[in-house]
Amino acid sequence: MTIIEKLTEDILKDDYFNQLFRKSSLLSAYKQFNILNNNTLSEKELKDVLRFADILSNSTNSIARNKAYQIITFLNSSYLSDPIYKTVSKAVYSKLGNFPAIKYLEKYNENNSELPINRLIEVEAKKILQQVPGSDKLTFTDVQFELFSSLSNSIEYSFSAPTSMGKSFIIKAFIKKVIKNVPPENLVVIVPTRALINQFAIDLKKELTEVLETYKYRVVTNSSISDLITEEQYNYIFVLTPERLISYLSQENNPSIGFLFIDEAHKIANNKDSRSVTSYEAIEKALKKYGNIKLYFASPNVSNPEIFLKLFNRNSNGNSYKTNESPVSQNLFFVDLLNNKIEYVVGNDNIEMESKDFFSTTKSINDLIKKLGRGKNNLIYCNSKNRTINYAFNFSKSLTKIPANEQSENIKKTISQIKEYIHPDYYLANLLEYKIAYHHGRLPQLIRNSVEELYLNGDITNVFCTSTLLEGVNMPTQNIFILDNRNGRPKLEPIDFWNLSGRAGRLSKELYGNIYCVQHANCEWKNKEILHRNAIKLKPTVLNKIDRNLQKIEKILNEQDISGTKTEKEILQYIANIISVGTMELEGNKEPGPLLKKLIEKNKETIIDLAKSKVKDFTIPVSILNSNQSINLSVQNKVFNELLKRHRQGINIKLPSLNQPKFYQVCKRVLDYMFDLYEWKNAEKKLNNPNSLSYYATIMTQWVKGFSLNQIIQQSIEYHNNTNKEIILDYDYNNPIVFNPRDKRHINYVIENVIEDIEYILRFLFEKYFNHYHSIVVNLLGEENAGENWATLLEYGTQNRIVIALQNTGISRHTAIKVYEKCRNSGLIIRDNKLERIDKQLVLQKFRKTSMEYDELIKIL
């Protein structure tokens, strides 16, 4: 052990140090709440605590380095002009290699103190050694550089770090390096949601424009590349959800994959979401299809990141990395509006603060946000879409609307765009007049992009949001107010809580962020253990469920009912399907997948034999089952046999073309047919009512015919009005009321439902079943004779191949349709009904610079 490490060990145990650390942290805490307090440091204490920070910054221990950073941060607001503080603060940040923090001191504190010559030499050396490849100005922090170097020297790697460390930034830097490899290889980045696809793709194009063009790479966000621009030969960076990767893998002639990155890898261990099994399936299938793919996992706040490599039988020795070191720190407070108490959470201690005066003027959530969030950027976490909108709306009532002549041009433009794109009465447009917005997973992509941009630019200061932040949406902030300790109905898991909290603190804009966990009438924190940062050890869902639910899986294979929540049953059914399909592959002497290996290791031959017996008489090709394991296997086999029988009888099994008249009737007839064929009455809660198919056929017709979202919403409003349809508002479930077109609440109810139905019913549920149907038709008739895949039309919301090709460049459906309408004769180079090239300048000339389409095109083309 070196002298520094021995000193570090002694300091961390030292009572005097811990007393000074606590005193420094409280000094900062009381400043945050603007509460007068006698908690000050003597001159000696200041010198001593700064000396401790300097020593700790020399350690390799991440806990010690974090404490060094925190001490300097705690003292900043009180001592920023103190000569000793100025010198030591710069020295500590330089030793930590935290160059954004040094820039902060120089820019906002006017800290121009000189470093000792040896420290100055070290800093300059780091600036050269730790420069981000291909960048003149960006420098990795020490911990970022260590991680980047490890990634660069590995063909399989798994790492975990705090949310604020910039994992996506490191992945992008690594991708930039990989692009230059010879020979070039295609890359896939798996992200958990569609929302993240767009964000990650735009960031890649923005940050890697030159290198992408130089090395002939395209960023692709869909699984189909047959409609991509064809002028030149390109390699690809695919940004896909697990579902889209599975779809990509099911297509025979797609290019091979060389690199696979899994961002937000902890989702593979989410035991309350069946999509965790989909993520597992997508990765396993990619490894099985393309062999020795270079494999990388990134996750936040996990103590055992090596588990992901082990899950897929990859070497984890020396190929994993974890750190708790963060380039910004977070102050965590528990604010109890029921009992008028504030607790400052330091480590595993909850320190009650003197707060009588604070609560004399702070009685409500709105008071709290206004008081603590004044002049700052604030994300306010709510646990559901409806609550998010309601909290935002109620908060706006406590504010004064910003006069039009004082609104920023960006806000004016976005308000106008929302009214045109969605509806003039959409709540969000009105809220922007108060510098407020809401953000949730079903918000249309273009609008979500606008909200994120307004927030990052400071045009709006308060964004009420759902768990989209837990999916990795990049919205760093100064303050996070957590108004609910749930994610939907279940309680927040520790990994989700710290992932959410990790958004507090914007690197280079401040030294710290604040997390305010709020207890109020609608949210009681009975257990505050989640506020203490303990080690988070994950176990992937598939392994966890195999270990704990073998009897239930056995019952499912025997087609018996099991106890548990709907989600748990879905997950176990999914796993049972994987096991069954896996046994079919064993017949071909293939290597068993991880799940079957696990069962073989546990000597669970009974379950394997059961799974074999379940599928032994199946005639459906295993390749189709492999790509559709979330659909009941027996139903899949029944559908295959039914279509095979019809085909042999000479009956046409292709789905009708969309180009024929009276498409609504065609669509309704097909949905009725699918309802019976796939047994939706039992299989899908959202599709179990045959009477709803008329409505879905209407929305579907409008969607694939290219109607704008505004048109679809307007027609739905007219339908509700003309039929005196009853609706149920979220706050009054027991009392249906007749739709009133003059009531904004009713208008917004219809808007949210239409958006939800397009995204979930059309683009998820229907798309899944139509993909399956088409794969069977392709198997029986061949690709050339299989006709139109309705799943593609639902995904893209059009039947126009050029509009599809435009969307495959990353452009939204809305903008792609507008570009085709305005530019098909000038700006788009089309040959044989294929898009060969886009003339960016000609296309941009067709759109107003204030339009939503122009904003999107300038980022993506």
Side-chain angles (χ1 to χ4, degrees):
M1 184 182 291
T2 65
I3 293 173
I4 282 293
E5 299 308 335
K6 181 67 176 81
L7 272 173
T8 296
E9 192 178 278
D10 292 342
I11 288 169
L12 293 178
K13 293 176 184 174
D14 185 74
D15 289 340
Y16 179 53
F17 164 74
N18 285 303
Q19 178 190 333
L20 291 181
F21 184 85
R22 179 182 173 121
K23 208 169 182 181
S24 302
S25 65
L26 281 169
L27 188 68
S28 171
Y30 280 107
K31 285 261 185 184
Q32 295 306 314
F33 285 83
N34 199 24
I35 297 173
L36 293 176
N37 186 267
N38 296 324
N39 191 73
T40 57
L41 295 175
S42 68
E43 188 176 336
K44 178 182 183 304
E45 286 175 328
L46 176 63
K47 288 180 180 177
D48 288 346
V49 78
L50 288 172
R51 178 62 180 148
F52 281 135
D54 191 37
I55 294 169
L56 294 175
S57 70
N58 285 271
S59 175
T60 58
N61 181 326
S62 63
I63 294 173
R65 290 165 66 87
N66 270 342
K67 284 191 179 289
Y69 180 89
Q70 288 172 313
I71 289 166
I72 300 303
T73 304
F74 291 150
L75 300 176
N76 183 262
S77 58
S78 298
Y79 296 101
L80 60 89
S81 299
D82 183 277
I84 298 174
Y85 172 82
K86 289 174 80 170
T87 302
V88 177
S89 62
K90 215 166 182 182
V92 167
Y93 286 160
S94 65
K95 191 64 188 177
L96 297 173
N98 195 330
F99 300 104
I102 295 170
K103 286 179 183 175
Y104 177 91
L105 294 177
E106 292 173 348
K107 182 176 179 179
Y108 297 105
N109 293 178
E110 298 179 356
N111 186 338
N112 297 313
S113 62
E114 295 291 331
L115 291 172
I117 188 67
N118 62 327
R119 195 67 64 90
L120 189 60
I121 292 170
E122 186 180 4
V123 167
E124 293 306 315
K126 279 186 178 181
K127 284 182 178 177
I128 296 168
L129 288 171
Q130 296 178 196
Q131 183 177 333
V132 177
S135 164
D136 294 331
K137 298 177 182 177
L138 297 176
T139 309
F140 286 125
T141 66
D142 283 11
V143 69
Q144 287 175 336
F145 181 68
E146 184 182 356
L147 175 53
F148 178 78
S149 301
S150 298
L151 271 175
S152 300
N153 294 313
S154 304
I155 60 170
E156 49 202 7
Y157 207 77
S158 181
F159 68 90
S160 170
T163 309
S164 55
M165 200 197 81
K167 298 184 301 299
S168 294
F169 170 67
I170 293 166
I171 291 174
K172 287 164 198 162
F174 183 42
I175 288 173
K176 192 172 186 178
K177 180 177 180 292
V178 168
I179 284 172
K180 300 175 183 179
N181 286 355
V182 177
E185 295 181 89
N186 298 307
L187 302 88
V188 171
V189 180
I190 296 184
V191 294
T193 63
R194 283 177 175 167
L196 271 188
I197 286 180
N198 186 266
Q199 185 181 81
F200 203 99
I202 287 176
D203 287 351
L204 277 178
K205 290 180 179 182
K206 180 180 174 184
E207 295 170 28
L208 276 64
T209 302
E210 194 175 314
V211 72
L212 289 171
E213 196 54 45
T214 302
Y215 291 91
K216 299 296 179 189
Y217 269 86
R218 277 277 161 85
V219 178
V220 179
T221 58
N222 269 291
S223 58
S224 172
I225 62 168
S226 59
D227 292 295
L228 290 175
I229 294 172
T230 58
E231 188 183 42
E232 294 183 67
Q233 187 67 40
Y234 282 90
N235 289 98
Y236 302 106
I237 301 171
F238 295 95
V239 185
L240 305 172
T241 57
E243 291 85 356
R244 289 189 184 184
L245 177 56
I246 289 173
S247 175
Y248 180 88
L249 296 169
S250 70
Q251 300 165 43
E252 288 304 315
N253 299 317
N254 279 343
S256 64
I257 296 166
F259 286 78
L260 183 59
F261 300 85
I262 297 89
D263 198 12
E264 306 293 320
H266 60 288
K267 298 292 179 185
I268 303 172
N270 187 342
N271 290 304
K272 296 176 181 175
D273 186 354
S274 60
R275 294 187 74 238
S276 60
V277 187
T278 307
S279 299
Y280 161 82
E281 269 290 273
I283 298 163
E284 189 197 350
K285 289 181 188 308
L287 299 179
K288 197 176 285 186
K289 182 164 185 174
Y290 298 118
N292 202 25
I293 291 178
K294 290 164 272 293
L295 183 64
Y296 305 88
F297 296 91
S299 52
N301 308 306
V302 175
S303 64
N304 61 330
E306 69 281 354
I307 191 66
F308 301 116
L309 291 171
K310 289 178 180 177
L311 175 63
F312 297 101
N313 301 315
R314 291 298 187 101
N315 178 24
S316 61
N317 292 334
N319 290 329
S320 65
Y321 176 88
K322 62 184 177 213
T323 182
N324 294 319
E325 190 170 332
S326 172
V328 293
S329 65
Q330 281 102 25
N331 301 316
L332 177 58
F333 301 96
F334 182 77
V335 184
D336 185 349
L337 290 173
L338 297 179
N339 301 298
N340 290 352
K341 290 198 314 189
I342 301 170
E343 294 176 15
Y344 180 35
V345 184
V346 182
N348 286 339
D349 294 328
N350 289 30
I351 306 168
E352 188 168 342
M353 297 170 58
E354 300 166 18
S355 55
K356 185 178 178 181
D357 290 344
F358 179 81
F359 286 107
S360 66
T361 56
T362 309
K363 306 292 185 185
S364 66
I365 290 171
N366 290 346
D367 292 341
L368 188 70
I369 296 170
K370 285 195 289 185
K371 196 166 190 175
L372 297 177
R374 184 175 288 112
K376 298 175 182 177
N377 270 30
N378 307 297
L379 288 178
I380 302 100
Y381 171 77
C382 316
N383 78 313
S384 71
K385 180 179 72 174
N386 288 335
R387 287 198 176 202
T388 298
I389 295 169
N390 289 338
Y391 275 126
F393 193 70
N394 289 333
F395 185 61
S396 73
K397 293 178 182 177
S398 69
L399 302 176
T400 304
K401 186 184 292 188
I402 310 295
N405 62 344
E406 294 179 23
Q407 292 171 10
S408 73
E409 289 304 312
N410 288 333
I411 283 184
K412 287 180 186 175
K413 181 175 73 172
T414 305
I415 290 171
S416 173
Q417 290 172 347
I418 289 172
K419 288 181 175 181
E420 180 183 342
Y421 179 58
I422 296 183
H423 192 276
D425 288 332
Y426 192 41
Y427 282 147
L428 186 58
N430 176 251
L431 289 172
L432 289 176
E433 296 176 336
Y434 297 85
K435 298 184 77 172
I436 299 172
Y438 52 78
H439 185 288
H440 58 75
R442 296 287 187 235
L443 206 60
Q445 187 64 59
L446 281 176
I447 303 304
R448 193 160 51 227
N449 292 348
S450 296
V451 168
E452 290 166 13
E453 195 163 320
L454 288 173
Y455 189 68
L456 293 173
N457 292 340
D459 292 295
I460 55 177
T461 51
N462 296 287
V463 173
F464 292 76
C465 56
T466 62
S467 58
T468 48
L469 290 181
L470 301 178
E471 310 294 352
V473 171
N474 185 26
M475 286 178 72
T477 185
Q478 193 162 5
N479 292 331
I480 287 184
F481 293 86
I482 301 179
L483 301 187
D484 211 302
N485 53 6
R486 295 170 297 168
N487 180 7
R489 289 185 179 179
K491 293 288 184 184
L492 276 170
E493 295 290 332
I495 191 161
D496 290 331
F497 176 81
W498 289 106
N499 192 10
L500 178 62
S501 301
R503 314 268 166 208
R506 298 171 298 177
L507 190 59
S508 79
K509 292 192 176 181
E510 54 246 352
L511 301 177
Y512 61 88
N514 300 307
I515 305 126
Y516 301 104
C517 300
V518 186
Q519 178 158 275
H520 53 97
N522 294 319
C523 176
E524 189 176 350
W525 297 65
K526 290 182 179 177
N527 183 0
K528 292 187 277 186
E529 185 60 31
I530 198 170
L531 306 180
H532 301 146
R533 195 186 283 271
N534 299 313
I536 299 171
K537 194 170 184 178
L538 293 185
K539 190 168 188 178
T541 303
V542 288
L543 296 185
N544 193 41
K545 296 297 183 185
I546 282 280
D547 284 342
R548 298 183 181 185
N549 296 278
L550 285 174
Q551 286 186 336
K552 286 186 176 181
I553 291 170
E554 195 170 329
K555 279 188 173 183
I556 288 171
L557 291 169
N558 275 317
E559 299 189 356
Q560 297 173 356
D561 288 336
I562 60 169
S563 60
T565 64
K566 178 176 177 289
T567 301
E568 185 182 9
K569 289 178 182 178
E570 284 176 356
I571 290 173
L572 293 176
Q573 178 67 67
Y574 203 154
I575 290 171
N577 286 356
I578 293 171
I579 294 168
S580 297
V581 176
T583 64
M584 293 176 75
E585 293 181 313
L586 284 178
E587 301 301 317
N589 295 319
K590 289 185 179 179
E591 179 78 9
L595 281 191
L596 278 183
K597 276 188 176 177
K598 184 85 173 171
L599 289 172
I600 293 167
E601 286 168 10
K602 286 176 165 285
N603 296 315
K604 296 298 177 183
E605 295 298 332
T606 306
I607 289 182
I608 295 174
D609 289 342
L610 254 179
K612 279 182 182 175
S613 68
K614 185 177 175 63
V615 296
K616 67 180 173 62
D617 296 325
F618 276 19
T619 53
I620 184 170
V622 69
S623 60
I624 297 176
L625 293 175
N626 242 329
S627 302
N628 299 278
Q629 291 183 12
S630 63
I631 301 175
N632 181 281
L633 299 187
S634 298
V635 169
Q636 288 192 56
N637 190 58
K638 183 202 83 172
V639 172
F640 179 81
N641 288 331
E642 177 66 24
L643 294 187
L644 176 61
K645 178 180 151 190
R646 290 182 177 219
H647 174 53
R648 286 174 175 168
Q649 292 173 345
I651 299 171
N652 181 15
I653 60 173
K654 292 191 295 186
L655 290 179
S657 166
L658 291 178
N659 292 319
Q660 54 188 294
K662 297 185 178 179
F663 180 67
Y664 164 78
Q665 287 85 344
V666 173
C667 190
K668 173 64 166 60
R669 193 167 64 247
V670 168
L671 288 182
D672 287 337
Y673 170 58
M674 298 287 277
F675 180 89
D676 293 329
L677 191 64
Y678 282 97
E679 301 176 14
W680 284 348
K681 187 172 184 60
N682 302 316
E684 297 291 348
K685 187 177 179 182
K686 287 277 190 178
L687 301 177
N688 64 5
N689 182 359
N691 296 327
S692 67
L693 298 182
S694 299
Y695 165 72
Y696 291 138
T698 301
I699 297 281
M700 194 169 159
T701 301
Q702 295 166 341
W703 179 248
V704 298
K705 288 294 184 183
F707 283 39
S708 70
L709 182 58
N710 175 275
Q711 288 175 299
I712 297 173
I713 288 168
Q714 192 56 50
Q715 291 200 15
S716 186
I717 289 170
E718 289 171 8
Y719 166 78
H720 277 72
N721 186 36
N722 293 338
T723 59
N724 291 322
K725 192 165 179 64
E726 289 189 334
I727 62 172
I728 300 175
L729 298 178
D730 65 278
Y731 56 82
D732 197 7
Y733 290 107
N734 298 320
N735 294 300
I737 49 178
V738 175
F739 176 79
N740 179 358
R742 289 173 294 283
D743 191 322
K744 277 192 176 183
R745 295 172 305 164
H746 295 201
I747 295 290
N748 278 270
Y749 166 89
V750 172
I751 291 170
E752 295 293 344
N753 277 359
V754 167
I755 294 171
E756 174 87 16
D757 290 337
I758 289 171
E759 289 302 312
Y760 184 71
I761 303 296
L762 268 58
R763 298 186 70 208
F764 180 69
L765 288 182
F766 282 176
E767 187 181 332
K768 174 173 75 172
Y769 286 103
F770 281 116
N771 250 329
H772 182 261
Y773 187 95
H774 187 72
S775 67
I776 293 176
V777 176
V778 168
N779 181 269
L780 297 176
L781 304 183
E783 187 78 52
E784 296 296 318
N785 301 312
E788 205 137 36
N789 183 0
W790 281 28
T792 302
L793 308 176
L794 289 167
E795 171 63 31
Y796 293 96
T798 181
Q799 61 198 98
N800 186 309
R801 311 313 298 184
I802 306 303
V803 174
I804 290 174
L806 285 167
Q807 287 186 63
N808 276 332
T809 68
I811 298 170
S812 68
R813 169 187 181 267
H814 170 84
T815 300
I817 290 171
K818 294 290 185 185
V819 168
Y820 179 74
E821 289 171 354
K822 290 175 178 282
C823 308
R824 61 177 177 265
N825 297 319
S826 176
L828 300 181
I829 291 77
I830 301 168
R831 188 173 295 131
D832 299 328
N833 201 31
K834 283 249 183 182
L835 182 60
E836 292 200 341
R837 189 164 60 85
I838 301 172
D839 188 319
K840 180 176 180 177
Q841 296 311 315
L842 274 179
V843 168
L844 287 173
Q845 286 173 20
K846 302 285 185 179
F847 293 91
R848 290 178 288 111
K849 289 190 177 181
T850 57
S851 70
M852 181 182 291
E853 298 86 3
Y854 187 92
D855 283 351
E856 185 181 14
L857 292 168
I858 203 79
K859 289 177 196 165
I860 290 177
L861 291 185

